[in-house]
């Protein structure tokens, strides 16, 4: 089969031919109908050789949907032909967090060498994907594969972050979204669907600010040195009750701190390497800062339910598998509005 692999440290990913995977006991083989392209992949491909955590070559793609092509011996719970989405952050299935459905916070994944597809295990940007357990599959129930695949990360991750801040987002509150790209433009929709809060979107790109307005942002602000004062002015000097930074770089983290109000929730979702000092007098009183990761299996089901209800959708740009390297080039250049999706069998 064809697959997009990161094969050499510092090199661009390549489309190669690899053996077709075969499902073992308890496993599921998917014929991939759509796979998402994420900034996290670019981050992985920017890491130096010293301490690189994954074996190479690595088939990319941690967002995947497909149809069940074959079942390994003893596998139950799904049938050949089922259309499913892949829950990406695989865990052991046995620890306390996995028992809650929070495999994104599995307590034994590192110890057992369990890695998500595309982030250590072979990923979804291939004609076929081997899934370790049917519990990591969620029925699409009529959702279009291209529309659904970004929801497994670009939908699930902001949903998890927004859900944690819901008690703060009461009528009259303000939520700030920093970065209106793949995850941020979904967060705006989630905030509009789930809360009465005013949503203020920040980005360095006028195109992405335009997208933010299209998907429901009440206000948009250019993410520069003047952004904190602009947000403070919009909030009457009080700041926001929730701030979601989907970039996570030093400059955006500083903006997140500067626009947070008293008792605000600040979620640093992006993996841009920025850090936020926390201590008495450093931030407004009782600001809570978190760095969430992905979401639970139950939350993925909730995100897909929101999509079926028409409450959330992802702007997508599609590419063939042969053209997948160009998708990463466009994403790296900031030219993708929304999410790039690969059609491995399209």
């Amino acid at each position: 089969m064809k697959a997009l692999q990161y094969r050499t440290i510092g090199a661009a990913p390549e489309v190669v031919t690899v053996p077709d995977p075969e499902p073992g006991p308890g496993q599921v083989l998917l014929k991939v109908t759509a796979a998402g392209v994420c900034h996290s992949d670019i981050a992985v491909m920017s890491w130096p050789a010293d301490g690189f955590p994954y074996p190479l070559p690595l088939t990319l793609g941690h967002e995947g949907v497909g149809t069940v092509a074959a079942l390994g011996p003893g596998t139950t719970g799904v049938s050949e032909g089922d259309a499913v989405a892949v829950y990406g952050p695989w865990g052991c299935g046995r620890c306390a967090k996995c028992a809650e459905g929070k495999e994104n916070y599995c307590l034994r994944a590192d110890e057992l060498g369990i890695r998500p597809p595309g982030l250590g295990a072979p990923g979804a940007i291939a004609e076929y994907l081997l899934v370790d357990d049917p519990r990591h599959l969620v029925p699409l129930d009529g959702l279009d594969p291209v529309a659904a695949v970004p929801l497994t990360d670009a939908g699930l991750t902001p949903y998890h972050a927004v859900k944690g801040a819901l008690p703060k987002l009461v009528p009259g509150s303000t939520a700030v979204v920093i970065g209106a790209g793949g995850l941020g433009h979904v967060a705006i929709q989630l905030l509009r669907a789930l809360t009465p809060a005013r949503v203020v979107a920040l980005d360095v790109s006028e195109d992405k600010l335009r997208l933010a307005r299209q998907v429901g942002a009440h206000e948009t602000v250019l993410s520069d040195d003047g952004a904190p004062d602009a947000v403070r002015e919009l909030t009457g000097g009080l700041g926001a009750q929730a701030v979601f930074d989907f970039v996570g770089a030093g400059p955006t983290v500083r903006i997140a701190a500067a626009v947070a109000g008293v008792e605000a929730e600040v979620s640093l979702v992006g993996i841009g390497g920025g850090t936020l000092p926390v201590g008495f007098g450093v931030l407004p009183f009782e600001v809570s800062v978190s760095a969430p990761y992905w979401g639970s299996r139950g939350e993925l089901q909730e995100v897909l339910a929101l999509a079926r209800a028409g409450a959330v959708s992802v702007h997508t740009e599609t590419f063939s598998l042969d053209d997948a390297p160009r998708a990463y080039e466009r994403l790296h250049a900031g030219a993708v509005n929304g999410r790039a999706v690969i059609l491995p069998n399209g």
Side-chain angles (χ1 to χ4, degrees), residues 202 221-222 224-233 235 254-256 258-259:
L202 277 63
V221 174
L222 196 63
D224 57 16
D225 291 342
D229 288 341
V231 173
R232 287 280 171 181
E233 183 176 351
T235 59
R254 288 191 288 273
I255 291 173
V259 303

Side-chain angles (χ1 to χ4, degrees), residues 59 286 344:
T59 299
E286 212 168 315

Side-chain angles (χ1 to χ4, degrees), residues 3 26-27 38 59 69 83 116 119 142 149 158 165 179 191 194 201 239 267 270-271 275-276 289:
Q27 296 179 329
C38 182
T59 299
L119 297 170
V149 70
L191 287 162
L194 300 173
S267 290
I271 58 173
T275 59
L276 180 56
V289 180

Side-chain angles (χ1 to χ4, degrees), residues 50-346:
D50 186 26
F52 191 82
Y54 309 138
L56 296 181
L58 173 65
T59 299
L60 297 170
H62 55 268
E63 295 178 341
V65 301
T67 56
V68 176
L71 304 176
T75 303
T76 60
V78 293
S79 302
E80 290 187 18
D82 287 352
V84 293
V86 180
Y87 173 73
W90 298 349
C92 70
R94 295 176 177 271
C95 72
K97 292 301 178 184
C98 285
E100 297 178 60
K102 298 178 180 178
E103 297 200 35
N104 51 319
Y105 297 143
C106 176
L107 303 175
R108 301 191 64 206
D110 284 344
E111 169 197 347
L112 298 174
I114 300 171
R115 299 290 189 186
L119 297 170
I125 305 182
E127 292 177 296
Y128 290 92
L129 172 67
L130 196 60
V131 178
D132 67 336
D133 192 288
R135 75 175 185 276
H136 294 139
L137 300 175
V138 178
L140 288 185
D141 282 345
L143 284 175
D144 175 74
V146 172
V149 70
L151 297 174
T152 61
D153 178 13
L156 176 57
T157 297
Y159 180 76
H160 178 68
V162 167
K163 193 174 178 181
L166 290 180
K168 300 291 178 70
L169 296 175
V170 297
S173 63
T174 297
V176 171
V177 174
I178 302 174
L183 277 68
H185 89 285
V186 179
I188 292 165
Q189 297 174 68
L190 292 168
L191 287 162
R192 292 301 309 272
L194 300 173
T195 82
R198 175 173 54 171
V199 180
V200 180
L202 277 63
D203 205 286
V204 296
S205 162
E206 290 289 356
D207 285 342
K208 289 185 171 60
L209 291 178
R210 190 177 304 112
L211 174 61
R213 290 188 290 271
Q214 290 173 0
V215 298
H218 296 94
E219 308 281 354
T220 56
V221 174
L222 196 63
S223 186
D224 57 16
D225 291 342
D229 288 341
V231 173
R232 287 280 171 181
E233 183 176 351
L234 287 170
T235 59
L238 298 178
Q241 285 65 53
V243 185
F244 306 94
D245 182 359
F246 292 101
V247 181
T252 60
V253 168
R254 288 191 288 273
I255 291 173
V259 303
V262 171
E263 293 188 306
E265 296 278 345
V266 177
S267 290
L268 305 181
V269 185
I271 58 173
T275 59
L276 180 56
V278 176
F280 191 84
V282 177
L283 297 171
F285 293 128
E286 212 168 315
V287 167
S288 297
V289 180
S290 64
Y293 171 65
W294 232 325
S296 70
R297 284 188 279 124
E299 287 170 336
L300 177 56
Q301 293 176 330
E302 293 165 12
V303 170
L304 296 181
L306 283 169
R308 289 186 202 99
V312 61
S313 62
V314 183
H315 286 239
T316 57
E317 182 177 345
T318 57
F319 299 81
S320 68
L321 181 53
D322 287 335
D323 211 18
R326 189 171 70 88
Y328 279 94
E329 292 172 4
R330 285 181 53 76
L331 182 65
H332 186 62
V336 175
N337 243 3
R339 203 65 155 177
V341 173
I342 310 300
L343 306 178
N345 289 284

